[in-house]
Amino acid sequence: MLLNVTNLDVSYGAVKALHGLSLEVDEGEIVTLIGCNGAGKSTTLRAVSGMLRPRGGSIAFEGQNVTGIASHKLVERGLSHVPEGRGIFANLTVAENLALGAYARKDRQSLADDHERALVLFPRVKERLKQLAGTLSGGEQQMLAIARALLARPKLLLLDEPSLGLAPQLVQLIFSIIREINKQGTTILLVEQNAHMALAVANRAYVLQSGEIIKSGPAKQLLDDPDVKRAYLGA
Amino acid sequence: MQTLDYAIPGTRPTQPGWVTFVPPLAVLMLALLMHYCVPFLGAYAERIMTDMAIAMIAAMSLTIVNGFTGQFSIGHAAFMALGGYTAAWCSYYFCLRYWGQTAVVPGTLFGTHQLILLCCALIGGAVAAGAGWVVGLPSLRLRGDYLAIVTLGFGEILRVLFQQTNSQALSKPELANRPLFGSDPTNPGWVFPPGVGGSLGFTDIPKSTNLFLCYLLVGLTFLFAYRLKFSSLGRALLSIREDEIAAEAMGVNVTRLKVRAFMFAAFFAGIAGTLYAHQSGTTLRPIDSGFIRSFDIVIMVVLGGLGSISGALLAAVIITGVTAALLGLTDYGLLPYRMPVFALVLILMMIFRPKGLFGVHEIWDYLPQFGRKGAK
């Protein structure tokens, strides 16, 4: 088990965002969290990546307890988070953004290989290496954000709403790349509003509602689930 | 292994070993050139150029924290004053105990006094860096305006503390009769409380600052800031300024680097303060730690463009030069109007070029052969 979250409690002040959330991610999987606005999807990712300190419960990564460990240390262990809204460093060039992705890495030898691999996945990013990242389009920025996270050589990649604000065609492209990244051996935990796309690409899925998991199972099965269909797929 | 058609930032191309020594040597040559220009300049121009050098070091050091890291500090003069006071205290009492006087032979390139100055600059810088650590700590929790107020408060606290120091010991025999630590106000200790002039200001500091040392230190500060900006560490600082959450997600230890930025900046501010304290014709006064001095440095950094080293350099030269030129207004009784002139310049700058002269970029980014896409 790569990631094991048990009974996670997170609050923002007095407001409880997650109560008793448990989920697990196996090596090589794509797991997705779907749910409405405010269900706690992003909060879950932030807690897993150490940006929020949980009130209770535990998070284990590769069998080791990592509850309460700072984000930047988790990056070194192989857990990368692509935050919602991309988090591009707008005043730095694309190449500098990529270099920051590899900031936490100790091994510099294979860096060129990883750059090459990330740029083969995202040829659009490669065309714009010397450009300021703030001048990229929304889709390109999302690609850069994912490429940058890959340079940390994550074992587990947390993606927060990669389809946010993108044209349908770009959403297709991003999701096919996500599948490709997964095939190359990176486990992915994906948070999405676009439940259709997320369920199509994922192996397993959890459905979140007001901070609790109300359903889970293989993605294919949830795609046909009448409740999920009605609530999230609009069918 | 496949080859890339671009250089990955952070991996340096292999170069012959001697290339490393070119920039420091160039700095040394510049400093020597400045020294041998002195006879042709005259005392007034020498004074202005010293002021410029001090302003340049101060502005470059503030660029590290305000520009690179994006932590808005408006108490930078406090680090300057602290470094200056510390260094001046060291050199003053050292000279007094060994020679009984603090007179310096003017025009020396690098004599004993300059060596003492250099050592004292390191001490002053180190003490200022320690203070930078202390001020950096609250910056872990505070952002924007709140941090600015803390740094402002730090400057004012220091100013009041400097006012409370003893007026200095005057002669060698007097010094010999004093205890190390004294609680009797009529016979204060010579180490504590420190005799650094109190509210009247610290006079008779050895006047050992010369153009050679000034420009040597300007050059070294520039090299440091430049190497920092284009290193992995510097990129991490820039990433904090751009987006703290994303920086954390890259594995950047945001809290540690913020404090480190404060320490770097304070160290070089301390060096600038040391040069200022040992400049001929200055009295180091508590007010040097106050808001007005800090604001002068902030103006330079903002005018040059937050994050631009060459911008800070240029702005330091312009501001110091304009100040000196406006001193000419004294004859017409217009001197008090120079501050409104600065305010006007800043307002116009904010309207027509809100990113400062160069924004986050350097002057050479605007030259066609080096220019990067997107820099306008």
Side-chain angles (χ1 to χ4, degrees):
Chain A
M1 200 62 59
L2 191 61
L3 180 75
N4 210 329
V5 178
T6 32
N7 281 325
L8 196 65
D9 280 320
V10 178
S11 326
Y12 294 105
V15 184
K16 273 199 155 189
L18 299 179
H19 17 110
L21 181 136
S22 299
L23 62 85
E24 43 196 41
V25 180
D26 241 331
E27 215 156 306
E29 274 189 311
I30 300 182
V31 174
T32 182
L33 284 176
I34 55 174
C36 317
N37 278 341
K41 307 184 299 286
S42 296
T43 306
T44 311
L45 283 201
R46 281 190 207 128
V48 167
S49 71
M51 288 181 185
L52 287 176
R53 196 174 272 273
R55 276 279 168 84
S58 69
I59 302 162
F61 182 61
E62 291 186 300
Q64 284 173 313
N65 184 11
V66 293
T67 323
I69 287 186
S71 247
H72 59 88
K73 286 187 186 140
L74 288 174
V75 179
E76 286 171 26
R77 294 197 187 193
L79 197 155
S80 281
H81 185 176
V82 180
E84 194 175 357
R86 300 156 201 149
I88 287 296
F89 305 123
N91 279 313
L92 302 183
T93 64
V94 171
E96 284 165 339
N97 267 274
L98 290 174
L100 272 160
Y103 178 81
R105 275 176 56 167
K106 302 275 189 291
D107 55 320
R108 297 257 143 196
Q109 290 84 15
S110 48
L111 203 56
D113 280 351
D114 286 1
H115 268 253
E116 186 72 37
R117 203 169 43 147
L119 293 178
V120 165
L121 283 171
F122 299 101
R124 291 276 283 277
V125 173
K126 191 174 184 177
E127 288 165 25
R128 306 193 185 276
L129 282 170
K130 287 188 175 163
Q131 208 167 315
L132 291 187
T135 63
L136 299 185
S137 75
E140 288 163 346
Q141 287 189 7
Q142 186 63 58
M143 294 180 192
L144 173 58
I146 298 174
R148 190 177 64 175
L150 285 180
L151 283 176
R153 273 213 173 167
K155 293 175 188 134
L156 176 62
L157 186 62
L158 309 179
L159 294 174
D160 200 346
E161 302 262 3
S163 74
L164 191 75
L166 300 188
Q169 230 180 346
L170 270 175
V171 175
Q172 295 274 359
L173 179 65
I174 294 263
F175 274 90
S176 71
I177 295 172
I178 290 173
R179 204 180 281 135
E180 179 60 34
I181 292 168
N182 179 249
K183 266 187 203 152
Q184 292 181 7
T186 309
T187 311
I188 290 169
L189 178 56
L190 173 72
V191 154
E192 257 302 333
Q193 292 254 4
N194 189 338
H196 239 300
M197 286 302 297
L199 289 175
V201 77
N203 304 106
R204 288 192 304 117
Y206 291 91
V207 183
L208 227 70
Q209 197 183 331
S210 4
E212 279 171 299
I213 286 170
I214 52 163
K215 252 186 199 356
S216 66
K220 295 262 158 43
Q221 198 180 315
L222 286 179
L223 212 45
D224 295 330
D225 187 291
D227 290 341
V228 174
K229 261 187 174 169
R230 194 179 55 248
Y232 305 106
L233 302 175
Chain B
M1 181 174 161
Q2 285 163 301
T3 48
L4 282 171
D5 52 357
Y6 83 106
I8 302 168
T11 55
R12 223 170 289 133
T14 45
Q15 55 187 13
W18 55 266
V19 174
T20 322
F21 298 102
V22 171
L25 274 178
V27 166
L28 190 65
M29 297 308 280
L30 170 82
L32 281 174
L33 181 75
M34 286 296 175
H35 178 74
Y36 289 109
C37 280
V38 172
F40 306 105
L41 290 173
Y44 182 67
E46 187 188 346
R47 166 76 201 229
I48 302 294
M49 288 183 68
T50 313
D51 284 345
M52 281 178 181
I54 293 164
M56 282 194 264
I57 298 176
M60 280 191 287
S61 62
L62 188 62
T63 297
I64 296 175
V65 66
N66 277 23
F68 297 174
T69 323
Q71 306 300 306
F72 210 77
S73 159
I74 47 175
H76 208 54
F79 296 117
M80 264 184 86
L82 184 62
Y85 265 104
T86 309
W89 181 82
C90 290
S91 65
Y92 177 83
Y93 285 98
F94 184 86
C95 291
L96 213 58
R97 280 191 88 83
Y98 280 87
W99 296 302
Q101 47 142 339
T102 57
V104 175
V105 186
T108 324
L109 173 67
F110 196 84
T112 323
H113 276 290
Q114 277 72 36
L115 187 65
I116 294 171
L117 176 65
L118 215 50
C119 295
C120 290
L122 288 178
I123 298 170
V127 169
W133 181 71
V134 172
V135 176
L137 286 179
S139 84
L140 312 181
R141 295 180 169 276
L142 300 174
R143 270 168 212 189
D145 306 348
Y146 302 100
L147 174 67
I149 288 166
V150 168
T151 56
L152 181 70
F154 173 69
E156 293 304 311
I157 290 168
L158 268 192
R159 183 174 65 80
V160 173
L161 284 181
F162 288 139
Q163 279 172 356
Q164 301 306 315
T165 57
N166 277 308
S167 49
Q168 69 212 63
L170 286 176
S171 63
K172 196 179 177 182
E174 248 180 27
L175 197 62
N177 289 331
R178 294 212 164 168
L180 224 57
F181 295 87
S183 49
D184 179 9
T186 54
N187 188 26
W190 75 272
V191 170
F192 193 86
V196 287
S199 55
L200 292 175
F202 196 176
T203 46
D204 292 332
I205 303 165
K207 308 296 180 203
S208 39
T209 298
N210 61 14
L211 274 188
F212 170 71
L213 274 184
C214 279
Y215 281 88
L216 188 70
L217 290 169
V218 167
L220 292 180
T221 311
F222 177 78
L223 289 185
F224 178 86
Y226 179 84
R227 292 293 293 267
L228 178 65
K229 184 176 181 183
F230 295 100
S231 71
S232 164
L233 180 60
R235 261 196 307 281
L237 294 181
L238 286 166
S239 77
I240 294 175
R241 159 198 146 130
E242 295 289 315
D243 188 331
E244 250 175 64
I245 291 170
E248 186 81 20
M250 298 295 103
V252 173
N253 189 341
V254 172
T255 48
R256 186 197 292 172
L257 289 199
K258 276 188 193 171
V259 174
R260 203 172 282 180
F262 262 100
M263 291 178 71
F264 285 148
F267 178 80
F268 286 102
I271 285 180
T274 306
L275 291 174
Y276 174 75
H278 293 77
Q279 194 186 8
S280 70
T282 44
T283 302
L284 198 56
R285 283 171 306 173
I287 196 81
D288 286 330
S289 163
F291 173 65
I292 296 180
R293 300 277 311 181
S294 294
F295 198 68
D296 279 343
I297 312 170
V298 172
I299 290 177
M300 291 170 196
V301 172
V302 173
L303 201 65
L306 283 169
S308 171
I309 308 164
S310 46
L313 277 179
L314 192 63
V317 171
I318 292 173
I319 298 268
T320 320
V322 169
T323 309
L326 290 178
L327 285 179
L329 296 178
T330 320
D331 298 344
Y332 309 101
L334 290 172
L335 187 62
Y337 295 100
R338 71 196 171 100
M339 288 324 278
V341 169
F342 274 144
L344 193 66
V345 168
L346 271 191
I347 291 168
L348 289 177
M349 195 74 181
M350 288 304 109
I351 293 171
F352 293 109
R353 218 175 156 78
K355 280 182 166 180
L357 287 175
F358 303 125
V360 72
H361 307 291
E362 298 298 336
I363 192 165
W364 49 86
D365 288 328
Y366 292 84
L367 303 175
Q369 63 268 41
F370 298 113
R372 46 168 134 183
K373 270 190 197 167
K376 24 177 194 358

